[in-house]
Amino acid sequence: MSKILIRGAQVLGGEAQDVLIDGETIAEVGAGLSAEGVDTVIEAAGQVLLPGLVDLHTHLREPGREDSETVLTGTRAAASGGYTAVFAMANTFPVADTAGVVEQVWRLGKESGYCDVQPIGAVTVGLEGKQLSELGAMHESAARVTVFSDDGKCVDDAVIMRRALEYVKAFGGVVAQHAQEPRLTEGAQMNEGTVSAELGLGGWPAVAEESIIARDVLLAEHVGSRVHICHLSTAGSVEIVRWAKSRGIDVTAEVTPHHLLLTDELVRSYNPVYKVNPPLRTERDVMALREALADGTIDIVATDHAPHPHEDKDCEWAAAAMGMVGLETALSVVQQTMVETGMLDWAGVAERMSFAPARIGGLSHQHGRPVSAGEPANLTLVDTSYRGLVDPAHFASRSRNTPYEGRELPGRVTHTFLRGRATVVDGKLA
Amino acid sequence: MKRHLISAADLTRDDAVLILDTAEEMARVADRPIKKLPTLRGRTICNLFFEDSTRTRISFEAAEKRLSADVINFAAKGSSVSKGESLKDTAQTLEAMGVDAVVIRHHASGAPYRLANSGWIDAPVINAGDGTHQHPTQALLDAFTMRRRLVGRDAGLGKGLDGRRITIVGDVLHSRVARSNVDLLHTLGAEVTLVAPPTLVPVGVENWPCEVSYSLDEVLPKSDAVMMLRVQRERMNAAFFPTEREYSRRYGLDGARMARMPEHAIVMHPGPMVRGMEITAEVADSDRCTVVEQVANGVSIRMAVLYLLLGGSEPAVTTSTAARTEENK
């Protein structure tokens, strides 16, 4: 294994320091480290060094929809975006509801070499919300699943949700809920409000998310388990999570980059690139989400990277698939919405995009570790002064359904290291 | 005017008045022995109907044929918006065949907008109704009917509907007709009131240029026109209101209610009417009900729209005079 010296990087945005990587670990952190015996020196003055990012919410589509993404292309996209670990959602074909499927995804991740892939297991068989999957078997498999989610669908049956929350306590698991009351969102196409009324598109009311979150935090309290809420999108959801935390309920929550930046006003274009679930909300919601991420009510940023092939988006709004890719732009959006607005410093970004997601997902032994001697060398180097237009033609993801095409975003991941091996060098995949 | 007609909200007052005035000219063609103008001779128009519609499709077809256009009817009957049936592919096929305009009816809100703005096709797009979004030619024909009845045929030329009070009653939530009418009538200077049970009023309606009332009886005496909307029976199953009987009692228009309207006030309905629930036969068959006129006026309005989008730069009256001259040769 080689020795790499990162020279003059601002560790977590702080003082400039040198970081020496020796093999798979960080050997030394300090000022003026010697380059003697080093194979590669990276001049990183002015760049920010972060622990490798961890995404708790990624759709890799394999098995079943390899035309959208594969574990390999998805992990290449993740590495490009500065990630060293991703949690792969269970809504594949077949659904990841057995030990066999989660082991397959886990093994494909191992083979990819770009990023660690931790499968998420489905809460219920076939995501149908009726019968619990073999949660224990998935945990005991080689994949060691600890996060369970029917994401894409809500576990709307209160009894099933209660049982899932209780059951995973046996092995320290967590249920990640896609909060969407199904009856209140029948035919929903976008956020319910002024714009949906004008455009004649079915409305997805905020209360459909908030009512499920309220129920689930109370269920988690009742059974003494922990629950994670996926992709919060409304100001009301923030208030409920804030209340639940103040009450001591073991709840964590995530927000996507797109819900920190984009609003439902964009849907006026009827461009399906903005069609996503939960939908883009209002400016007021965006501001509430940013504040909640800043004050810790929302624990993490998760991408909800949802690749779809071109033809699934190049159509009329109603026919288009929901979702947008996000791995390669997440850090830039967070820089723009949180860092450049003064709401978070880079240490705060590291907490919300690396330390906390690793903790919630049970990966803290490998990822989301301090940038210190003896730790695994999972690192991301960011040129924060960079400004450029987003060009999806350069994406590593197999799908290009980004809402940011042509938009100027700050920041660029110049290097990513997975256990000491560079997966991205000078902004290009290694 | 813009190149496409997607939404009534896209029309300025001048655009709308021009269309109404042009439609008056077009209406005269219907009174002739030979109901035809050569205006769009050699032009091909495709009626692209992804949703069943007898009334609107025939109306457009009649308008196109009266303007001497070549007409292609495409009916995707029984189809649904699905990956197997790409609007883009269909549009590009039509483009390759050289159509000069596309009239599109689609069950998905925004489909005509997408067709017009996605770069799939160059031809002008006319929205013949999309989902619960817009139906601009319906709003135009409604305004045309109101102007004729409330202002007068010739007296109305060049005018809008300033100060007229229009009440729209029923399932506003799911109605593209209501949306289009609110936009256009406001543009033309009318005061619009929507009347519906709260369950059938869209969230965000407070931003629309209209009033909202839950009481039909309160609004009727001060209405110059009352437009009844069709209420689909399946709405009852979705709990938008308790029973048909209750809906009819509170929001149906019967003879007794019609008697409370001012004498000059008219009753309108975009059709098809479901007699008994939203409107009684007594009202539907009365002289004050303009349903049949609305149908006839629809052809004139669509001729005007097609003429202005495709025909051109000169006033229709010149063209129609030329046509008369040609016919007399």
Side-chain angles (χ1 to χ4, degrees):
Chain A
M1 292 294 284
S2 63
K3 282 189 176 182
I4 302 166
L5 180 64
I6 302 170
R7 188 179 271 160
Q10 296 169 289
V11 178
L12 272 57
E15 293 295 307
Q17 297 194 72
D18 300 341
V19 175
L20 180 64
I21 299 171
D22 187 358
E24 294 191 0
T25 58
I26 297 170
E28 210 174 343
V29 178
L33 298 184
S34 166
E36 195 176 334
V38 166
D39 302 286
T40 309
V41 176
I42 298 168
E43 297 296 345
Q47 296 196 43
V48 171
L49 186 67
L50 300 173
L53 306 183
V54 177
D55 188 19
L56 198 67
H57 193 146
T58 303
H59 295 273
L60 292 178
R61 303 295 189 214
E62 189 176 10
R65 284 305 302 267
E66 291 83 354
D67 57 327
S68 304
E69 194 81 283
T70 64
V71 172
L72 179 61
T73 59
T75 52
R76 284 165 67 91
S80 297
Y83 288 89
T84 52
V86 297
F87 286 74
M89 272 298 172
N91 60 339
T92 49
F93 302 94
V95 171
D97 57 5
T98 62
V101 178
V102 294
E103 282 192 354
Q104 179 191 2
V105 173
W106 175 78
R107 181 179 50 76
L108 287 166
K110 285 272 178 216
E111 290 168 0
S112 85
Y114 282 93
C115 190
D116 284 348
V117 175
Q118 182 57 45
I120 290 174
V123 177
T124 64
V125 175
L127 308 176
E128 289 180 353
K130 292 176 183 156
Q131 182 189 343
L132 290 181
S133 306
E134 291 187 349
L135 308 172
M138 286 189 274
H139 178 70
E140 288 164 9
S141 73
R144 303 298 296 172
V145 176
T146 57
V147 182
F148 299 91
S149 180
D150 277 359
D151 181 62
K153 289 185 176 177
C154 178
V155 182
D156 66 304
D157 183 317
V159 171
I160 296 285
M161 187 62 182
R162 172 190 174 155
R163 300 291 181 235
L165 287 166
E166 286 176 318
Y167 197 83
V168 300
K169 286 201 302 182
F171 41 84
V174 62
V175 177
Q177 175 68 293
H178 172 123
Q180 178 181 2
E181 209 292 318
R183 283 278 282 156
L184 285 171
T185 53
E186 278 175 11
Q189 299 277 332
M190 66 172 296
N191 179 47
E192 181 179 276
T194 309
V195 182
S196 69
E198 190 179 314
L199 298 184
L201 292 172
W204 198 132
V207 69
E209 176 173 304
E210 294 153 5
S211 59
I212 292 291
I213 296 175
R215 182 200 73 175
D216 286 354
V217 294
L218 291 172
L219 280 175
E221 179 181 48
H222 183 65
V223 303
S225 188
R226 67 182 178 124
V227 65
H228 176 76
I229 310 296
C230 295
H231 39 50
L232 253 65
S233 69
T234 79
S237 297
V238 166
E239 287 308 310
I240 294 164
V241 171
R242 190 172 281 137
W243 170 83
K245 287 189 168 181
S246 72
R247 197 175 156 96
I249 297 171
D250 198 353
V251 56
T252 51
E254 69 188 35
V255 64
T256 71
H258 48 271
H259 287 111
L260 291 172
L261 180 61
L262 309 175
T263 71
D264 63 353
E265 288 290 328
L266 292 161
V267 182
R268 289 183 191 282
S269 67
Y270 281 113
N271 186 343
V273 77
Y274 300 115
K275 186 174 174 181
V276 67
N277 186 6
L280 301 178
R281 303 288 189 181
T282 66
E283 187 72 20
R284 176 175 162 268
D285 295 306
V286 166
M287 291 306 156
L289 292 166
R290 289 185 189 180
E291 285 167 16
L293 184 64
D295 71 21
T297 302
I298 295 176
D299 302 82
I300 64 170
V301 175
T303 67
D304 194 8
H305 176 81
H308 292 292
H310 181 66
E311 59 270 23
D312 286 4
K313 285 288 194 180
D314 190 27
C315 54
E316 56 276 28
W317 182 275
M322 290 184 174
M324 39 184 75
V325 292
L327 285 167
E328 291 169 84
T329 49
L331 193 58
S332 294
V333 175
V334 171
Q335 180 177 336
Q336 182 178 80
T337 58
M338 302 301 296
V339 180
E340 296 186 353
T341 55
M343 300 181 84
L344 274 186
D345 58 16
W346 284 104
V349 172
E351 168 63 20
R352 286 152 184 81
M353 296 186 76
S354 181
F355 297 124
R359 261 196 322 270
I360 294 167
L363 272 192
S364 287
H365 57 294
Q366 269 289 321
H367 294 273
R369 303 294 306 170
V371 183
S372 308
E375 296 289 350
N378 295 317
L379 297 166
T380 297
L381 195 56
V382 190
D383 177 2
T384 57
S385 63
Y386 176 85
R387 291 284 182 287
L389 303 181
V390 175
D391 181 1
H394 296 141
F395 281 4
S397 176
R398 177 161 285 181
S399 295
R400 309 285 163 87
N401 49 305
T402 175
Y404 308 117
E405 182 172 5
R407 182 186 280 255
E408 185 180 283
L409 288 178
R412 172 171 170 263
V413 172
T414 60
H415 292 76
T416 307
F417 298 94
L418 176 63
R419 283 184 288 280
R421 189 177 72 80
T423 54
V424 173
V425 176
D426 291 331
K428 294 188 174 65
L429 284 164
Chain B
M1 270 180 67
K2 291 191 173 179
R3 198 159 158 271
H4 310 284
L5 179 57
I6 306 299
S7 166
D10 296 340
L11 297 169
T12 64
R13 182 184 169 99
D14 286 348
D15 289 339
V17 170
L18 174 64
I19 293 170
L20 299 186
D21 289 353
T22 307
E24 284 291 358
E25 291 299 321
M26 295 300 180
R28 289 179 198 157
V29 176
D31 298 332
R32 296 186 197 170
I34 298 171
K35 300 177 175 58
K36 217 163 172 80
L37 296 175
T39 314
L40 298 184
R41 189 183 283 164
R43 315 294 289 276
T44 304
I45 300 173
C46 181
N47 298 320
L48 189 56
F49 275 58
F50 286 87
E51 184 182 69
D52 284 340
S53 162
T54 306
R55 188 179 301 246
T56 304
R57 191 187 60 73
I58 291 175
S59 181
F60 267 106
E61 190 173 347
E64 290 151 5
K65 286 181 170 168
R66 282 187 192 174
L67 292 171
S68 304
D70 295 320
V71 180
I72 299 170
N73 284 314
F74 174 88
K77 185 169 170 50
S79 70
S80 58
V81 178
S82 68
K83 287 170 190 150
E85 172 197 292
S86 159
L87 175 63
K88 178 184 178 183
D89 287 345
T90 307
Q92 291 185 331
T93 302
L94 295 173
E95 178 88 335
M97 290 179 179
V99 300
D100 296 294
V102 175
V103 175
I104 178 172
R105 171 74 157 253
H106 206 289
H107 30 65
S109 298
Y113 183 94
R114 194 89 176 108
L115 188 62
N117 293 287
S118 58
W120 299 336
I121 190 167
D122 283 334
V125 174
I126 299 165
N127 183 2
D130 62 328
T132 53
H133 177 221
Q134 282 276 331
H135 194 357
T137 57
Q138 177 71 43
L140 284 161
L141 76 87
D142 289 337
F144 185 72
T145 305
M146 288 176 212
R147 197 176 77 166
R148 281 189 146 192
R149 282 284 200 121
L150 301 176
V151 186
R153 283 192 190 201
D154 294 331
L157 284 174
K159 293 184 181 168
L161 288 163
D162 301 277
R164 300 304 195 280
R165 291 168 299 188
I166 317 297
T167 301
I168 301 174
V169 188
D171 184 0
V172 176
L173 180 64
H174 301 96
S175 175
R176 53 196 173 207
V177 174
R179 280 172 177 76
S180 310
N181 267 291
V182 168
D183 288 334
L184 183 68
L185 293 172
H186 172 70
T187 299
L188 289 170
E191 296 165 16
V192 182
T193 303
L194 301 174
V195 178
T199 48
L200 291 174
V201 175
V203 169
V205 77
E206 61 276 10
N207 296 313
W208 293 13
C210 61
E211 300 292 318
V212 176
S213 170
Y214 304 138
S215 170
L216 180 57
D217 289 320
E218 282 179 16
V219 181
L220 281 178
K222 48 190 176 185
S223 301
D224 296 309
V226 177
M227 184 184 298
M228 305 304 294
L229 300 173
R230 190 160 71 91
V231 178
Q232 294 181 348
R233 291 207 153 95
E234 58 262 36
R235 304 290 180 226
M236 206 176 71
N237 301 330
F240 285 102
F241 49 87
T243 62
E244 280 187 34
R245 192 171 119 113
E246 170 145 330
Y247 180 87
S248 192
R249 270 190 184 172
R250 292 176 62 80
Y251 299 100
L253 189 61
D254 57 13
R257 280 206 166 108
M258 189 167 67
R260 302 186 60 197
M261 294 163 53
E263 267 185 34
H264 68 275
I266 56 173
V267 176
M268 307 181 74
H269 196 298
M273 288 186 287
V274 181
R275 293 171 186 242
M277 188 169 166
E278 73 255 7
I279 192 166
T280 63
E282 179 189 4
V283 176
D285 295 333
S286 79
D287 292 341
R288 303 173 77 173
C289 183
T290 62
V291 171
V292 177
E293 281 173 59
Q294 287 171 264
V295 174
N297 292 340
V299 177
S300 304
I301 281 291
R302 284 158 184 142
M303 287 174 75
V305 167
L306 288 163
Y307 168 77
L308 290 167
L309 286 181
L310 278 174
S313 48
E314 294 183 5
V317 66
T318 310
T319 309
S320 55
T321 305
R324 277 199 291 276
T325 308
E326 190 168 287
E327 280 168 22
N328 293 335
K329 278 180 183 173

